[in-house]
Amino acid sequence: MQTDSIRAAIRDVVDFPQPGIVFKDITPILADAKLFHDSISLLCETAGSVKIDKVVGIDARGFIFAAAVADRLGAGFVPVRKMGKLPWKTHQTAYSLEYGEATVELHQDAILPGESVLLVDDLLATGGTAAAAVELLEQLGANIVAISVLIELSFLNGREKLGQHPVHSILTY
Ligand code: AMP
């Protein structure tokens, strides 16, 4: 499957949401039925032949891809959310952003010990967000099969924060 057309659709938005950031806008992919379908297919392939029990998506653009991947793989979907959004009992992890700190949460009963999980987000930058999600999943005893992202900003070395877990990216910059 060709990734060139997916790459070509990503829109670089300079100085968003703050000066110095080049934001990778994936909404043109979502709006194109074939590009969105192909993106989901490529993300599904990263699971290999492993039966995935739960696909975990990271708030908020990660949800879009992870939910579609979950449906395609016949797996459940689990959200990792920003602080204060989940209604039930949660585990929480704080992590560093480029400026300041953020906290993400996961429902305590979202994953059963030993369940096979695919963690999905739209983009891996410094890796702080994904590493926080990994920490939450490890607390629940999840078997993290892989961490799969559509876009990896490899110059930020995010995968170094993700330990031994396999990291798959469809497009690398
Ligand atoms: P990080 O924790 O630095 O790996 O940041 C990853 C999260 O922030 C992902 O959920 C992305 O959606 C978002 N993000 C970070 N940098 C960018 C960027 N340049 N363009 C689009 N989204 C980004």
Side-chain angles (χ1 to χ4, degrees):
M1 199 175 298
Q2 289 291 330
T3 54
D4 296 358
S5 47
I6 300 174
R7 185 184 289 270
I10 293 168
R11 181 162 52 197
D12 283 359
V13 183
V14 177
D15 292 334
F16 181 88
Q18 50 189 281
I21 303 288
V22 179
F23 191 87
K24 298 286 185 197
D25 178 15
I26 49 86
T27 60
I29 296 171
L30 305 180
D32 183 301
K34 180 163 172 28
L35 295 182
F36 186 45
H37 185 89
D38 288 353
S39 300
I40 300 306
S41 300
L42 289 162
L43 287 167
C44 285
E45 282 173 17
T46 65
S49 56
V50 181
K51 171 85 179 86
I52 301 296
D53 297 307
K54 302 272 170 62
V55 179
V56 176
I58 302 179
D59 204 342
R61 285 175 297 279
F63 293 167
I64 301 165
F65 293 99
V69 168
D71 185 56
R72 196 85 69 83
L73 292 178
F77 167 76
V78 169
V80 167
R81 297 216 65 179
K82 289 172 186 150
M83 185 72 183
K85 303 285 187 186
L86 286 173
W88 186 239
K89 294 174 192 165
T90 65
H91 291 301
Q92 307 171 355
T93 303
Y95 63 102
S96 298
L97 294 170
E98 279 170 294
Y99 299 98
E101 278 215 326
T103 300
V104 284
E105 291 186 291
L106 178 64
H107 274 155
Q108 290 180 11
D109 60 358
I111 313 275
L112 299 174
E115 279 193 313
S116 292
V117 163
L118 184 69
L119 177 62
V120 171
D121 203 0
D122 66 326
L123 184 143
L124 182 70
T126 66
T129 312
V134 163
E135 197 179 314
L136 292 172
L137 292 170
E138 286 176 340
Q139 277 183 54
L140 294 185
N143 168 34
I144 301 173
V145 173
I147 298 153
S148 301
V149 296
L150 188 68
I151 301 165
E152 178 180 4
L153 304 183
S154 59
F155 52 91
L156 294 173
N157 300 316
R159 60 173 66 217
E160 287 176 8
K161 288 206 183 80
L162 301 173
Q164 314 289 36
H165 301 294
V167 178
H168 301 287
S169 52
I170 308 305
L171 301 170
T172 306
Y173 290 84

